[in-house]
Structures are given as C-alpha cells and as structure tokens.
Amino acid sequence: MAKKKKKNTSWVNYLPLVGALLGVVAMIMAFLPAVVYPYILGNETVSYTGFQTAFGYSVTEETFLGSTTTQYLNFWFMNLQPYILLSGGVVCAILGSAGKNQLFSFIAIACFALAAVCTFCFTLSSVSLTEFFAAIYKTEGATLGIGAIIGGICSALAAVACVFPVLAK
C-alpha cells in the first residue's frame, strides 16, 4: 500500500490571509486624515481624509439668499489608485492562498507594493487643488496624515506577508 502524502499546513501558508487582512486595514485608513495643511495665517491646520483627497471635497452652505457651494478639492485619480490596488491585492491574496496557482500571489505582492508607493508618493503631490483652496492654505507645508502613514505601512507589510509563501515553495 502506498503511503498518503501529508498535506503541508505550515503557518507560512496562512501569511497571504494576514496580508489580505493588512490590506483591509490599509483601506480602512482612508477614513482617517491623509493630508494635513497649515493655514497661511496662524498656527492652525486642516486635514482631509483619503476619500476626500481622492473623490474631492466641497461644502454647501445655506444662506437666506440661497445655497453656495465651495469646492475645496477636486476628484483626482492618482489618489484613488492606492485604494483600487489595495482591493485588487486583497482579492488576489485570498485567491493565492486558497489555490496552488502562484500567479495570484505575484499579483498580490505587486498590488500591495505599488499601493504603498502610491500612498507615500502621490498623496501629497497630486492633490487637485482649487484656486480657493490654494489661496487659504500653505500647500508647500503639507504633511502626510496618520491615515496615509498607517495605510502605507500596512500595505508594505501586506506585500512582505505575501512574499514569504512564494519564497517558501
């Protein structure tokens, strides 16, 4: 009789699921401040979330003459790109850990790594400013907010978590 092969259930095989969880955490960080701008006058700052920097932000105020809408940020695809890459990385990490096809693992690694790079590089440089926004805030003094920092770190850690099973095989 032939011996049955023992299935390899090492902890390394579950790392892509940890990477997918880190990717979900990075996507949740879009609700936290991504960019912090100082005012031209004074020491106060204003911050905008990741979704506001990606999809735009406007405020509508009701007055006795009607409503006025002030557009602060415009839609900008480069700030939406990390969240698209993160969602693709999460799906590919789950599919890569479920099957034996390593193509999904390589795609997940690339998606998570590119999302980390995009989060750190594009968040500050590609915010689509309106003229009103540029007149009120110092755009050269902008810094990354806590949401962008934690999201970028979680995305990079997710890429690292997806690398180990590929190297172990």
Side-chain angles (χ1 to χ4, degrees):
M1 269 189 143
K3 291 183 182 180
K4 287 188 176 181
K5 237 184 186 183
K6 209 176 202 182
K7 189 176 180 182
N8 187 7
T9 58
S10 175
W11 61 272
V12 176
N13 294 335
Y14 297 108
L15 281 177
L17 296 176
V18 172
L21 181 66
L22 285 169
V24 169
V25 169
M27 283 191 284
I28 291 173
M29 293 300 120
F31 293 105
L32 295 178
V35 180
V36 179
Y37 291 100
Y39 281 112
I40 289 177
L41 300 173
N43 293 331
E44 297 177 18
T45 60
V46 64
S47 60
Y48 295 101
T49 66
F51 284 131
Q52 289 173 335
T53 59
F55 292 110
Y57 177 65
S58 63
V59 175
T60 303
E61 296 176 358
E62 297 291 331
T63 61
F64 66 93
L65 296 174
S67 63
T68 59
T69 302
T70 305
Q71 184 80 22
Y72 288 96
L73 300 173
N74 294 323
F75 172 78
W76 193 253
F77 179 74
M78 296 304 281
N79 285 337
L80 180 62
Q81 188 175 6
Y83 306 116
I84 295 171
L85 287 169
L86 282 171
S87 61
V90 167
V91 169
C92 289
I94 292 171
L95 291 175
S97 68
K100 296 184 184 221
N101 191 353
Q102 285 191 345
L103 178 65
F104 289 119
S105 297
F106 287 120
I107 293 172
I109 294 167
C111 285
F112 287 137
L114 284 173
V117 170
C118 289
T119 300
F120 289 127
C121 294
F122 295 151
T123 303
L124 288 178
S125 64
S126 65
V127 172
S128 181
L129 305 174
T130 61
E131 291 176 16
F132 177 78
F133 183 82
I136 295 178
Y137 306 113
K138 294 183 208 175
T139 56
E140 66 273 356
T143 58
L144 284 176
I146 191 72
I149 294 169
I150 294 174
I153 290 171
C154 286
S155 180
L157 289 175
V160 170
C162 291
V163 165
F164 283 116
V166 172
L167 295 178
K169 290 182 182 180

